[in-house]
Amino acid sequence: SLNRSVAVKVLGVNGGLDLNYKHRFLNEARLQSSLQHPNIAAFYDFKEFGDQLLIFMELVDLSLIHI
């Protein structure tokens, strides 16, 4: 347990995942895990759960975002 709220990006909800899709997901997870910047949500983990791929990242408080 992280003892904090997180955002979860879920991929593959509407059907099976092909190998190219999984490869792109793993590349995105690796890239995101290497980035550290105040304007980028922190990356925590990724998992494969059945036919779904999940990325766990920092939950950003939208009230703090100034456009």
Side-chain angles (χ1 to χ4, degrees), residues 9 11 22-35 43-47 53-57:
K9 181 176 183 177
L11 304 171
K22 281 186 177 183
H23 181 71
R24 288 183 15 222
F25 167 81
L26 293 174
N27 283 340
E28 177 182 345
R30 286 186 193 107
L31 177 63
Q32 187 176 354
S33 71
S34 70
L35 300 175
F43 175 87
Y44 297 139
D45 200 1
F46 68 93
K47 301 280 183 199
L53 301 170
L54 311 168
I55 294 179
F56 300 88
M57 64 188 93

Side-chain angles (χ1 to χ4, degrees), residues 10-13 15-18 21-22 25 47-54:
V10 181
L11 304 171
V13 176
L17 300 170
D18 64 27
Y21 195 82
K22 281 186 177 183
F25 167 81
K47 301 280 183 199
E48 186 172 351
F49 184 75
D51 286 341
Q52 296 178 338
L53 301 170
L54 311 168

